[in-house]
Amino acid sequence: MQNRRVAILLSGRGSNFVAIHDAIRRGDLRAEICCVVSNVAEARGLQVAKERGLVSLCLPSKGIERAEYDRRLVESLRPYDPALVCLAGFMRILTPGFLQVYGGRTLNIHPALLPSFPGLHAQRQALVHGVKVSGCTVHFVDEGVDTGPIIMQRAVAVHDGDTEETLSARILEQEHDLYWRSIALVLDRLNKGQGGLNEKRARAT
Ligand code: GRF
């Protein structure tokens, strides 16, 4: 029996979550979204999850100590038994306690070609540096900020006259295609008992 359940964590707009759900609906991605969790009650993504009839949980993070929050997060996810946890604009750094349970099966998407431009405002950083190519990265989450092993990347050309908005929009379009393909790859590997892709990097370093 394969486990192809995916939990989504988000804090805002949720367009990556919607793209993943759309890929499932089209039949491109063989997976099931078992729950959508937000640390922000007003997150648009949480509202959309409700409208789409998905399990949507609000777990506010304000004023809660980091390790304690992650303990609550692990407890909230437990009943849904996700094979993967996908961060989709989840504006928090996960603690070792969370990664003890979900390490090697927690994914994030970042709007730059990592290891360039980690952290906030990646598209702005790319423009400030004057790079001619940026893009997006899906990677495993570790304890750092956007530092975990890379799963897939997609390059996006930076045009003369690009603003943060125009570049972000072109990158986002690629994010929406890249994330579900990365999820498919990792779910297939996990279900074949091949583990995460972490081992590859361990060999290379
Ligand atoms: C995306 O640009 C993603 O790469 C970054 O946060 C943004 C989330 O957008 N991690 P959305 O909420 O999925 O629309």
Side-chain angles (χ1 to χ4, degrees), residues 6 19-33:
V6 173
I20 294 164
H21 193 226
D22 285 348
I24 295 172
R25 281 176 160 178
R26 290 194 305 272
D28 286 342
L29 171 61
R30 200 157 57 82
E32 176 200 340
I33 294 181

Side-chain angles (χ1 to χ4, degrees), residues 10-19 45 87-91 108-112 119 123 135-137 146 168 171-172 175-176 179:
L10 54 78
S11 305
R13 178 176 64 178
S15 72
N16 275 288
F17 143 61
V18 167
L87 312 190
F90 187 61
M91 302 305 285
N108 181 42
I109 187 155
H110 183 74
Q123 304 93 332
C136 47
T137 304
D146 304 320
S168 299
I171 293 175
L172 192 64
E175 292 182 38
H176 292 166
Y179 211 169

